[in-house]
Amino acid sequence: MTWEINCDMGEAYGLYEMGDDEGMMPFITVANVACGFHAADPMVMRRTVRLAKRFGVKVGAHPSLPDREGFGRREMKMRPEEITNAVIYQVGALKGFLEAEGLPLNHIKPHGSLYGMAAKDPAVATAIAEAASVFGVPIYGMSGTHHETHYAKSAAFVGEFYADLDYGPDGFLIITREHHAVDPAEAAGRVLRAMNEGKVRAINGQDFSVRAQSVCVHSDTPGALAVAKAVHEALQPARAAE
């Protein structure tokens, strides 16, 4: 099975832009659209949904902790009910714009620290799963973590691999406040190894097993367009063989 390519998008606000969403669209199949808590506003959300529609890209919601100043990359203490309702609130907003454009909601993928917290904390993962059950869509996450074990109780689970983020010695993603540049060829090689061998090398040199159906490339990584193009081209032989 060929992996899809997903990308976090719509991460702008007002006159502030981040990432070349239009440039990235030809190289991806799925867009995770910010819903307002870490980035985006009504105009940005509608514009991003329309852009995805023009390129035939599926759209999912990318909800966050309420942390716009920290771009959703700072951990926060919230009760499970607060997390569930924050996710419902954000996804509901995006779903309205999708319905306005005649598109379905494809999935939910938590952003930043909410994603990382859910990987390690079953209460957070369960809270997100309860929100997803309201909309009846899959949740994207990391296999072998609480994402997989707890999301699957309430919703379908889609495992993903990260082309442009490092994996720590514990096998978890290293979520930083700012993404550093990565070599496009190395990123594509990591993706192919993960897909063909089911392995990724952590920063300490240790290999970890990975299982995924989707690969994520970020739009705010320096040189993101080159990374997305390299990953897209690397996956083309597999698509042609299907």
Side-chain angles (χ1 to χ4, degrees):
M1 180 182 69
T2 304
W3 286 5
E4 64 182 25
I5 303 174
N6 77 77
C7 181
D8 303 342
M9 292 188 155
E11 294 181 322
Y13 183 76
L15 299 178
Y16 299 95
E17 297 288 340
M18 180 175 288
D20 181 3
D21 286 358
E22 186 166 2
M24 297 283 284
M25 283 289 182
F27 304 113
I28 69 169
T29 54
V30 177
N32 316 304
V33 178
C35 301
F37 273 27
H38 76 283
D41 58 30
M43 295 299 291
V44 170
M45 291 169 72
R46 184 72 180 265
R47 184 170 69 242
T48 308
V49 168
R50 284 175 170 167
L51 186 63
K53 181 179 181 180
R54 175 153 64 91
F55 281 89
V57 170
K58 298 176 183 178
V59 177
H62 198 37
S64 169
L65 297 169
D67 177 33
R68 184 172 288 166
E69 288 185 353
F71 201 68
R73 291 176 179 161
R74 299 181 296 188
E75 290 195 2
M76 300 175 67
K77 291 187 179 297
M78 297 176 66
R79 300 194 311 274
E81 183 182 15
E82 291 179 304
I83 293 173
T84 298
N85 290 336
V87 172
I88 291 172
Y89 180 93
Q90 294 175 79
V91 177
L94 179 66
K95 195 170 189 297
F97 290 118
L98 286 168
E99 291 180 357
E101 296 297 329
L103 296 178
L105 176 68
N106 186 67
H107 67 281
I108 295 171
K109 175 184 170 179
H111 165 80
S113 284
L114 182 60
Y115 187 102
M117 290 164 61
K120 299 178 180 181
D121 188 335
V124 176
T126 299
I128 294 169
E130 289 181 3
S133 69
V134 173
F135 300 97
V137 295
I139 316 176
Y140 284 33
M142 290 177 60
S143 62
T145 72
H146 288 300
H147 290 169
E148 184 172 24
T149 55
H150 288 78
Y151 289 169
K153 294 178 181 179
S154 301
F157 170 77
V158 176
E160 62 176 349
F161 176 78
Y162 282 80
D164 50 14
L165 290 184
D166 289 326
Y167 286 73
D170 54 2
F172 288 95
L173 283 176
I174 299 176
I175 299 174
T176 56
R177 290 287 296 276
E178 295 183 9
H179 293 163
H180 60 79
V182 298
D183 179 82
E186 289 184 6
R190 279 162 49 99
V191 169
L192 289 177
R193 183 173 187 238
M195 184 173 69
N196 295 326
E197 300 178 27
K199 299 288 185 181
V200 64
R201 182 148 297 171
I203 58 172
N204 66 343
Q206 182 179 353
D207 281 345
F208 286 93
S209 296
V210 291
R211 288 176 286 107
Q213 299 85 49
S214 185
V215 57
C216 177
V217 292
H218 287 94
S219 62
D220 64 325
T221 300
L225 191 56
V227 173
K229 184 177 180 181
V231 171
H232 173 81
E233 291 177 348
L235 294 179
Q236 289 311 298
R239 294 183 189 280
E242 289 187 340

